[in-house]
Amino acid sequence: MPPRATDARRAAVLGSPIAHSLSPVLHRAAYDALGLTGWSYDRFQIDEAALPGFVEKLGPEWAGLSLTMPLKRAVIPLLDEISETAASVDAVNTVVFTEDGHRIGDNTDIPGMVAALREHGIEQVGSAAILGAGATASSALAALARICTGEVVAYVRSEARAAEMRQWGERLDVEVRTAHWDDAAQALRAPLVIATTPAGTTDALAAAVPERPATLFDVLYDPWPTGLAARWSMFGGAVVSGLDLLVHQAVLQVEQMTGRSPAPLEAMRHAGEKALAAR
């Protein structure tokens, strides 16, 4: 049974660093739109060492947690169970506390990616390219496992990273081929390109955007647009942004934590856009 609007419930995002997080903006906008006047959502600077103590002290007023780096794997031993989605990439970004005190972990990044692509008309692709090989890249592979019918090429800087991406491919049942970052310009001709690298990493690739690019999913949102995304749009390609991902994964978090569905997607997106514009 969903909580009453006046119930005093708490949620928060944890991570290190955390000051940049837009999650409080998105979740508070959702609470306002849903009339959950008794709900609050905060942010806490928590690293891996401090996480167990923080979680153990949480009282019954807590509804859930959002987790960002470096806590997505560190939280798993503290949970009673995790979803198949979270287990598929060994990463939890959402914890929901049940009425009987159980801690349930999930990963909304993966379905959030799929939903963001679907919103832009991408239901299925024959092949794709991933730029980068970090934690976000494994989530991208898991999303592609749901929508890509053919090969995924991952462009990475080291053989160690290449081996990791091939292992993720085997685990997720995705056909993965790896290529060196020096050849990353070739990625831009794929039907779907997912850029998972830190800010500035793909700027040098902007000059290599083809005349008729397909779809770029750039997981960054601040600063925005990235050099690659701006050039991609200039050439008429479709661009899915990190804000799209952030909003869609937050929608799923709000629904799980509050028991209210559907979450107010547009109100959350508008709040995120407004907050970014003010930065």
Side-chain angles (χ1 to χ4, degrees):
M1 182 177 179
R4 294 171 300 173
T6 54
D7 286 347
R9 302 302 305 276
R10 296 189 67 184
V13 59
L14 315 181
S16 180
I18 201 62
H20 68 287
S21 176
L22 276 182
S23 291
V25 170
L26 302 182
H27 284 252
R28 290 168 186 169
Y31 299 163
D32 286 344
L34 292 170
L36 296 174
T37 56
W39 285 64
S40 63
Y41 189 102
D42 303 296
R43 63 164 69 89
F44 293 95
Q45 176 90 10
I46 301 289
D47 61 15
E48 292 161 291
L51 182 62
F54 182 91
V55 172
E56 287 302 324
K57 292 178 181 178
L58 299 181
E61 75 278 10
W62 282 84
L65 298 171
S66 306
L67 300 159
T68 186
M69 299 306 291
L71 305 179
K72 293 184 180 183
R73 291 200 170 108
V75 75
I76 293 176
L78 309 177
L79 305 177
D80 295 297
E81 63 180 275
I82 65 173
S83 68
E84 289 185 13
T85 302
S88 72
V89 290
D90 289 337
V92 165
N93 78 326
T94 307
V95 176
V96 174
F97 301 104
T98 64
E99 289 185 5
D100 58 5
H102 277 64
R103 306 165 184 162
I104 312 298
D106 193 15
N107 185 309
T108 64
D109 286 331
I110 295 165
M113 283 187 176
V114 174
L117 286 166
R118 184 180 297 122
E119 186 178 44
H120 285 76
I122 308 298
E123 299 276 353
Q124 190 178 83
V125 291
S127 61
I130 294 178
L131 300 174
T136 305
S138 62
S139 292
L141 267 183
L144 288 171
R146 304 184 181 192
I147 67 167
C148 184
T149 59
E151 181 183 68
V152 176
V153 184
Y155 291 82
V156 301
R157 294 189 183 277
S158 70
E159 178 51 38
R161 288 290 198 179
E164 286 179 11
M165 288 300 284
R166 291 192 294 267
Q167 289 170 1
W168 279 117
E170 292 177 8
R171 179 169 174 173
L172 295 163
D173 197 24
V174 178
E175 182 184 350
V176 175
R177 177 167 63 86
T178 55
H180 197 272
W181 185 264
D182 290 346
D183 298 320
Q186 296 177 15
L188 308 187
R189 299 188 179 278
L192 171 62
V193 181
I194 304 182
T196 69
T197 53
T201 307
T202 61
D203 287 355
L205 296 176
V209 173
E211 287 188 7
R212 295 181 180 178
T215 300
L216 170 68
F217 191 163
D218 196 323
V219 303
L220 296 173
Y221 62 84
D222 187 17
W224 185 262
T226 62
L228 180 60
R231 182 85 168 180
W232 201 275
S233 295
M234 186 186 306
F235 278 63
V239 175
V240 185
S241 75
L243 183 60
D244 293 321
L245 168 59
L246 191 66
V247 170
H248 277 283
Q249 66 83 27
V251 159
L252 297 170
Q253 290 185 335
V254 168
E255 291 175 352
Q256 289 189 32
M257 292 180 192
T258 68
R260 304 293 180 92
S261 183
L265 171 67
E266 291 308 321
M268 296 168 71
R269 190 200 312 275
H270 176 71
E273 291 172 344
K274 184 177 179 181
L276 284 177
R279 288 186 176 181

